[in-house]
Amino acid sequence: MATAKKAPAKKAPAPKAAPAKKLAATKAAPVKTVAAKKAAPAKTVAAKTAAPAKKVAAVKTAAPAKKRTPNAAFMKALTLSPELSAVVGDKPLPRTEIVSKLWVYIKANNLQDKANKRMINADKKLLAVFGKPQVSMFEMAGLIGKHVK
């Protein structure tokens, strides 16, 4: 059935539509409605093919994303608790640097779980910071918050 619908749409050029209008003018009104029904699918097919092109063009003309400015709160140096300073150092550090240094410590001491890399096995120093023997990498940032001011 799909091929039957496509064939009339392709074979409906403008010259054939003009004689149909002349015949419709001389004959009764039902012929006009038949000619109008045949012409309508051709227009909708053209509209459907044109619409996606407009959407693609709209996406391409969008303005480029603005460069993000760093938030000053993330870059503020925080004082560390004695437990956390035993792992990352004594100097005040921003939260981002604390997490980076923790990952350096975890990788250096091979503390990532072998079966599930998202889990971190705590040694003596990290057990004092985390409070439990194993934490996920997603909980780690929340647990650090208790050890910074």
Side-chain angles (χ1 to χ4, degrees):
M1 289 181 71
T3 56
K5 289 182 181 178
K6 288 182 181 177
K10 290 180 181 178
K11 293 182 180 179
K16 289 186 180 180
K21 288 180 183 177
K22 289 179 182 177
L23 290 177
T26 57
K27 291 187 177 180
V31 176
K32 287 183 181 179
T33 57
V34 171
K37 287 182 182 179
K38 286 183 180 178
K43 290 179 183 177
T44 56
V45 170
K48 287 180 183 177
T49 57
K54 290 179 184 178
K55 288 180 183 178
V56 172
V59 172
K60 289 181 182 178
T61 58
K66 293 181 181 177
K67 195 169 188 178
R68 288 179 35 180
T69 57
N71 189 346
F74 285 117
M75 303 312 289
K76 180 182 174 186
L78 304 169
T79 56
L80 310 175
S81 70
E83 296 87 10
L84 188 57
S85 63
V87 179
V88 297
D90 294 335
K91 292 190 278 183
L93 296 169
R95 191 177 299 271
T96 55
E97 288 296 317
I98 295 169
V99 173
S100 296
K101 289 193 180 224
L102 267 174
W103 273 108
V104 168
Y105 180 81
I106 290 166
K107 298 273 184 167
N109 294 317
N110 202 17
L111 297 175
Q112 255 182 312
D113 192 31
K114 302 286 184 221
N116 187 359
K117 297 276 187 179
R118 291 179 289 185
M119 299 304 287
I120 299 161
N121 299 321
D123 62 352
K124 288 182 182 180
K125 290 181 180 180
L126 286 181
L127 187 59
V129 175
F130 296 151
K132 43 185 168 176
Q134 192 176 42
V135 296
S136 74
M137 65 172 62
F138 306 110
E139 307 179 69
M140 185 175 69
L143 294 171
I144 293 168
K146 298 174 185 173
H147 294 277
V148 294
K149 293 180 185 179

